[in-house]
Amino acid sequence: MGRTPGSPSRASAEPEVDAAAISQCIRCYKPSMIVFSTRPDHLDSIIECLDQTTPLKGGASLVTVLGMYPPQPEADDDPHWPAEIRRQFRDAQTMLMSNMSPSIIIGVCRTVLDVVMRKLGASEGTLHQRINLLQARAVITTPIADWAHKLRLDGNEAVHEGTGERDNAAEFVEFLRTLMDVTFSLPAKIAKQQGRST
């Protein structure tokens, strides 16, 4: 049903009311509170849907979410990280927060590692060879190379065997965050600071 151009819609003509509902987080399965605004005539249908766990006719367009408590964590994203892997690394973090299969997360982490090694200057050979090459050139330290090899091996197993542990997935996400901060973000920040001081 259309409306005359320039005339107020029913939604804009009626004041909205603020409300709150207790829900369950789809990531951690703990209780969370959603604060939202909606038109008064929508409240009854929203309450009915919450009571019966049935889909809301009209969906998200009927409500404006104002906040969630506790706040939902957001994936880290740094503009200094290589553009080719920023989305994949955000996806890995989101999957970890959503309690998705560790094998999938570890597989994505291995892919991110592969691209990082290429961006650091090792583009030839296997991932094993590229990690060793960067270590030999002192681009990465021995502890970083050891972690990279562990991710490489666990990533292979995750992809081919579908195995993996959540704790390992979380460690690999943190390892990659640290690696990219040290190799991409920190040099860029140092260069920027040096440019200011000259």
Side-chain angles (χ1 to χ4, degrees):
M1 184 168 108
R3 64 185 181 89
T4 306
S7 66
S9 66
R10 183 179 176 192
S12 62
E14 292 186 12
E16 290 198 336
V17 294
D18 293 343
I22 301 297
S23 183
Q24 184 182 48
C25 176
I26 62 171
R27 292 176 176 164
C28 65
Y29 302 108
K30 293 181 180 177
S32 63
M33 182 173 70
I34 303 171
V35 178
F36 62 93
S37 64
T38 188
R39 288 179 11 205
D41 57 317
H42 290 156
L43 275 177
D44 287 341
S45 59
I46 291 171
I47 292 169
E48 182 181 342
C49 291
L50 290 172
D51 288 342
Q52 300 178 8
T53 64
T54 56
L56 177 64
K57 293 179 181 177
S61 63
L62 299 184
V63 299
T64 301
V65 175
L66 303 175
M68 295 185 70
Y69 304 93
Q72 296 297 302
E74 294 185 6
D76 289 338
D77 189 11
D78 190 317
H80 298 111
W81 295 342
E84 299 92 327
I85 55 174
R86 286 174 60 190
R87 179 174 180 178
Q88 292 184 62
F89 188 58
R90 285 197 309 269
D91 288 347
Q93 295 173 77
T94 302
M95 288 188 288
L96 183 65
M97 291 184 282
S98 301
N99 287 318
M100 290 186 65
S101 170
S103 64
I104 297 173
I105 301 167
I106 294 170
V108 173
C109 286
R110 187 197 181 284
T111 300
V112 171
L113 175 67
D114 199 329
V115 177
V116 168
M117 296 295 106
R118 293 179 192 277
K119 297 299 285 186
L120 290 176
S123 57
E124 300 294 328
T126 64
L127 180 55
H128 179 270
Q129 293 169 332
R130 284 183 277 125
I131 293 169
N132 289 342
L133 177 63
L134 292 173
Q135 181 185 2
R137 291 178 179 171
V139 175
I140 60 174
T141 63
T142 298
I144 288 177
D146 291 343
W147 265 102
H149 280 304
K150 178 169 173 46
L151 173 51
R152 174 182 62 82
L153 293 171
D154 285 10
N156 287 343
E157 191 171 317
V159 170
H160 297 295
E161 304 295 331
T163 58
E165 299 294 329
R166 177 176 168 75
D167 288 347
N168 285 351
E171 287 176 357
F172 289 139
V173 167
E174 188 58 37
F175 163 66
L176 287 172
R177 182 186 290 111
T178 302
L179 174 62
M180 292 190 295
D181 281 344
V182 169
T183 56
F184 301 115
S185 302
L186 185 59
K189 291 173 182 176
I190 290 173
K192 184 176 180 180
Q193 185 62 37
Q194 288 175 339
R196 286 178 180 166
S197 60
T198 56

